[in-house]
Amino acid sequence: MTEAYLCPKCKTNRTRFHQISQDAIPVKLDPRNGEIIETYNEQQLTPIHMHYNGPTIRIQCGACGLNEAEDTFIAFAKNSPLS
C-alpha cells in the first residue's frame, strides 16, 4: 500500500524524497584499528550481539535533507491538510 509523505521539518515538501533501504550486516570489529574481524548472519549471532530491530527503509527529504523513519513522514502527512 502506498502512503503520502510530508516532511515534518520543511513542512512543504510532499513530492521529492529518497527511499533508503537498510541492510544490517552484523560484524565484529578489532577494537584497536576498527577492521572487520568477522561477519555473521542472523542465525550465528552470539548472546551478546543483539539482532537489528530498526526500520528496513528510511526516508530523506529531497528539499531539506531530513532523514527519518518512513512512519514519521507518513504520520505528518496524515495529520496535515493537503494545501
Side-chain angles (χ1 to χ4, degrees), residues 39-50:
T39 60
Y40 305 98
N41 65 35
E42 289 294 320
Q43 291 75 31
Q44 294 176 314
L45 292 180
T46 64
I48 60 170
H49 198 133
M50 291 179 53

Side-chain angles (χ1 to χ4, degrees), residues 24 50-56:
M50 291 179 53
H51 291 274
Y52 177 72
N53 62 358
T56 57

Side-chain angles (χ1 to χ4, degrees), residues 3-15 17 59 61 64 66 68-83:
E3 298 281 347
Y5 294 161
L6 175 59
C7 179
K9 182 178 177 187
C10 65
K11 298 177 178 61
T12 57
N13 181 24
R14 291 182 179 266
T15 59
F17 299 95
I59 304 299
C61 176
C64 73
L66 178 69
E68 292 288 337
E70 183 179 35
D71 294 344
T72 305
F73 289 88
I74 292 171
F76 202 73
K78 285 183 179 177
N79 295 322
S80 179
L82 185 62
S83 38

